[in-house]
Amino acid sequence: MKNLKDLLIQTSQTPIFLLKGTVDLKHYVSIDLSTVNKELSHINISDPHQCQAYIEKVLSRKNAKIAYGGYLEKRSLYKVHSAFNTSVKDERNIHLGIDLWARVGTEVLSPMDGKIHSFKNNAVKGDYGPTIILEHKKKDIVFYSLYGHLSIDSLNDLYVGKEFKKGNVLGRLGEPAINVNYAPHLHFQLIHHIGQKKGDYPGVCSSAEIPFYSNNCPNPNLLLKIDAVKID
Ligand SMILES: [Zn+2]
C-alpha cells in the first residue's frame, strides 16, 4: 500500500485540477461538513438547497469557485438516508473521498491517463447517481478512481476499456434530481483493490471500518495536491 501512496505523491509535483475552469489554488476553499462544525447546527445539510446556500456562503467569504474537502470526515449528511444505516452502532458516516462543490454542468477532467473500468447510474436517493470508475496502471501498480454525482449524459458513449488522457473531459456535474438529492458536487475517491465491484464502491464507512478503508482508499489529496496533506 505504501507503494500506491508513494506513486500518488510522485505522479505530479503541481496541483491537479479536476474541474474545468479552475486553474489556480486561489479558486479553492476548504469546507468543513463534519459534525463538529457549529455553523451547520441550524442547517439541514441533507437538504440540497440548504446545503447549496451554505456552500455559497463559504465560497463568497474567500471569493472562491470550488469548495472542497471531506476525506475521513464524520458527517451527519447521511443520517436521513436509510440505505446508509442499519443500526446506530454501525452508522456509516465517515466519508472516504474528497468532494468538490461547484456549479451544475461543470466539466470533470481526468486527473491522469486511464481507461473505463465500469460505469452505472446508482439512482437510489442518497447514493452516487451517475458514476464512472477509471482504472489506472502506473509502474506496475493498478488502482482506480471513482467519480460520483455526475450528469446522466456523462454516461453516454462510454464503454469498458475506453481510454482517457489526463485533462480529457470525463463528464459533468449533475443536478440534485439526477445526482440523487445533493447540492451539485463531484465525489472523487481513490481505490486500490476494487474486488468485484462495478460502477459502485462504498463512499462512506463506519468508524470500525476506518482502518480497512483508509488503507484501501488513500487520501485523494496525495494525488491532487490542492491542500497540504500530512503524509504518514
Ligand atoms: Zn462525497
Side-chain angles (χ1 to χ4, degrees):
M1 188 57 209
K2 190 137 180 59
N3 287 342
L4 175 57
K5 286 188 179 176
D6 289 345
L7 179 73
L8 295 170
I9 292 164
Q10 290 161 14
T11 293
S12 175
Q13 304 302 315
T14 54
I16 294 174
F17 297 108
L18 278 172
L19 298 180
K20 198 166 182 182
T22 56
V23 293
D24 197 305
L25 288 178
K26 71 178 185 221
H27 295 141
Y28 284 73
V29 61
S30 66
I31 189 166
D32 179 358
L33 294 178
S34 75
T35 51
V36 300
N37 183 354
K38 290 192 172 58
E39 278 191 321
L40 300 179
S41 58
H42 302 296
I43 299 172
N44 175 10
I45 203 69
S46 301
D47 177 281
H49 304 291
Q50 292 190 41
C51 184
Q52 183 66 39
Y54 179 67
I55 287 157
E56 283 174 15
K57 190 169 139 184
V58 172
L59 289 175
S60 67
R61 274 180 206 155
K62 293 280 167 88
N63 203 19
K65 292 182 179 176
I66 312 286
Y68 74 93
Y71 181 67
L72 298 187
E73 193 168 74
K74 186 176 179 180
R75 293 177 169 178
S76 56
L77 187 55
Y78 310 109
K79 271 199 162 60
V80 293
H81 302 302
S82 58
F84 288 96
N85 298 309
T86 47
S87 72
V88 173
K89 185 169 150 278
D90 298 326
E91 193 176 353
R92 294 170 61 219
N93 56 9
I94 311 291
H95 186 254
L96 296 169
I98 187 173
D99 286 328
L100 297 113
W101 305 83
R103 290 195 183 285
V104 78
T106 302
E107 289 178 311
V108 176
L109 309 176
S110 178
M112 55 190 296
D113 295 358
K115 63 181 181 184
I116 296 288
H117 166 268
S118 52
F119 54 95
K120 184 178 165 189
N121 185 10
N122 296 290
V124 175
K125 192 176 179 187
D127 207 322
Y128 285 133
T131 308
I132 295 175
I133 297 177
L134 287 183
E135 180 180 317
H136 309 280
K137 186 175 183 185
K138 209 168 175 188
K139 295 181 181 171
D140 292 327
I141 298 177
V142 176
F143 65 101
Y144 305 85
S145 55
L146 181 149
Y147 309 79
H149 309 297
L150 302 173
S151 64
I152 195 74
D153 66 336
S154 302
L155 303 187
N156 292 349
D157 306 320
L158 293 185
Y159 53 89
V160 173
K162 184 176 182 180
E163 294 192 6
F164 285 85
K165 296 288 180 197
K166 181 182 176 181
N168 285 168
V169 175
L170 196 57
R172 277 157 286 282
L173 297 190
E175 58 181 318
I178 293 296
N179 80 8
V180 274
N181 208 39
Y182 294 103
H185 72 288
L186 173 69
H187 175 96
F188 176 73
Q189 185 172 333
L190 296 170
I191 303 158
H192 194 186
H193 302 293
I194 200 164
Q196 300 303 309
K197 294 262 191 297
K198 286 196 166 55
D200 195 11
Y201 191 86
V204 287
C205 73
S206 68
S207 299
E209 294 170 316
I210 290 175
F212 171 79
Y213 279 110
S214 62
N215 193 44
N216 200 45
C217 300
N219 190 337
N221 248 324
L222 294 174
L223 174 69
L224 300 179
K225 299 174 179 70
I226 55 174
D227 195 9
V229 172
K230 254 197 282 166
I231 296 159
D232 52 27

